[in-house]
Amino acid sequence: MSEVGQRMVRLVREMQDEITTALTAIDPVGFREDSWERDGGGGGWSRVLQDGEVFEKAGVNVSEVYGELSPQAAASMGGGAHIDDLSFFATGVSLVLHPHNPMAPTVHANYRYFERGDGSEPGSWWFGGGSDLTPAYLFDEDARHFHDTHKAALDRHDVALYPRFKTTCDEYFYLPHRKEARGVGGIFYDNFTELGQEGGLALARTCGSALLDAYLPIIERRKDAPFTDANRTWQQIRRGRYVEFNLVWDRGTAFGLRTDGRTESILMSLPLTARWEYGHEPEPGTEEARVLEVLRHPQDWATS
């Protein structure tokens, strides 16, 4: 592990502490922590809250793994695929929050660093990450706030980053078999090297800090909103789409399973409950239909 890798490990542990402390102030049920070891090298710390007062399921996980990649895993990569050395090191923090209230959106975030070999060869290291919002019911002010907060964070580094990362997020968190986005997007980047290692660390720190500013005002506004059984059913259907994306299309899930990561931690991102109704389509003119229209035609949310 390089010196940069060691610093990233410290950063993601700090982020885990900061985030879980803030969330415990909202949901006093609190998190349980499991530490685990990976066959082949490394391990992690998983913090999960289940059946809380605000969150049906919430997880904030950190991993620090190393070892040998399989040729299949190495070949599937973007950056670093040209490197013969199959040894690797990876660390990151991953978060998914699924609230009880259908009016409160799910949020996901992940910030990570990956290294091949000793990390000294061009293309042998890169950063990735981002955060996205997945509402069952769309409140425009929430989507605007989430995007504006992340845009302001990225603008501190380069004003060209937000438009790129927003587009990448819309393209990545997309279900081709449904022809709809998973949510209203956010930011996403991968195989990122252009700011250098110091810049990549700083970017991860800035964006990770922005997450709480982006999400906490939203969950405070929506966690106690009134809802009906029909609202809850629609939330469950949308969570079914979340499951479909994570199990069928998400590269992080596939990488974790291919590299013998801890299954419980990898699948922490799935909601506690979900629903699939055959041929379900919302009635025209309803709030449910409006959400689906936006998911089928992603739009710009940032106001500045």
Side-chain angles (χ1 to χ4, degrees):
M1 182 198 318
S2 69
E3 188 265 343
V4 170
Q6 295 174 29
R7 291 166 62 193
M8 187 66 176
V9 170
R10 292 195 294 270
L11 173 59
V12 297
R13 289 302 304 269
E14 291 168 4
M15 289 169 62
Q16 184 185 44
D17 287 342
E18 179 184 3
I19 292 166
T20 54
T21 297
L23 294 176
T24 301
I26 295 173
D27 195 326
V29 168
F31 291 81
R32 59 173 282 185
E33 177 172 303
D34 299 320
S35 61
W36 53 275
E37 295 184 0
R38 171 184 169 273
D39 291 341
W45 302 266
S46 297
R47 295 182 184 174
V48 177
L49 185 162
Q50 193 163 281
D51 283 325
E53 295 180 10
V54 174
F55 297 106
E56 180 179 283
K57 189 178 180 187
V60 187
N61 293 348
V62 163
S63 61
E64 176 190 347
V65 299
Y66 51 86
E68 295 287 320
L69 291 168
S70 69
Q72 176 190 14
S76 70
M77 292 179 174
H82 64 287
I83 298 173
D84 293 331
D85 190 341
L86 294 179
S87 65
F88 80 97
F89 165 78
T91 188
V93 58
S94 181
L95 165 153
V96 180
L97 310 177
H98 295 293
H100 283 293
N101 196 308
M103 302 301 156
T106 288
V107 69
H108 158 260
N110 175 283
Y111 292 98
R112 59 195 179 277
Y113 172 75
F114 196 93
E115 202 171 77
R116 291 283 299 276
D118 62 5
S120 62
E121 185 178 341
S124 65
W125 58 266
W126 61 93
F127 292 88
S131 182
D132 64 289
L133 196 69
T134 304
Y137 287 90
L138 179 60
F139 296 90
D140 289 9
E141 64 179 309
D142 294 351
R144 287 194 294 265
H145 173 76
F146 190 82
H147 278 265
D148 282 344
T149 303
H150 282 95
K151 181 179 184 300
L154 290 173
D155 284 353
R156 292 168 54 186
H157 296 270
D158 186 339
V159 295
L161 293 179
Y162 172 77
R164 284 171 47 196
F165 291 0
K166 192 269 185 189
T167 298
T168 303
C169 187
D170 288 341
E171 293 172 349
Y172 180 74
F173 292 103
Y174 182 78
L175 289 80
H177 63 288
R178 297 287 188 182
K179 295 183 171 57
E180 62 190 46
R182 187 174 78 174
V184 295
I187 61 171
F188 182 72
Y189 60 98
D190 202 9
N191 298 320
F192 188 75
T193 62
E194 64 192 66
L195 296 181
Q197 290 181 316
E198 290 297 327
L201 278 168
L203 185 68
R205 183 182 300 276
T206 301
C207 292
S209 296
L211 172 67
L212 292 176
D213 292 335
Y215 186 69
L216 291 187
I218 297 173
I219 191 65
E220 290 285 5
R221 278 198 296 266
R222 308 300 171 198
K223 65 184 179 66
D224 299 316
F227 63 89
T228 66
D229 288 343
N231 298 147
R232 176 68 172 163
T233 296
W234 174 247
Q235 178 198 49
Q236 296 296 290
I237 291 171
R238 295 313 310 168
R239 285 187 173 168
R241 300 291 200 268
Y242 205 94
V243 172
E244 290 175 21
F245 177 84
N246 282 29
L247 293 184
V248 177
W249 300 106
D250 186 62
R251 295 198 298 264
T253 301
F255 175 80
L257 295 175
R258 279 200 305 267
T259 54
D260 297 321
R262 182 177 183 246
T263 301
E264 283 298 310
S265 298
I266 295 166
L267 299 184
M268 170 276 297
S269 64
L270 301 181
L272 191 60
T273 59
R275 183 182 181 103
W276 286 264
E277 289 191 10
Y278 183 79
H280 185 276
E281 192 75 18
E283 292 291 329
T286 62
E287 285 299 308
E288 292 83 0
R290 176 174 177 256
V291 171
L292 203 53
E293 177 66 17
V294 169
L295 297 181
R296 290 170 176 169
H297 302 94
Q299 62 188 67
D300 293 330
W301 293 104
T303 59
S304 61

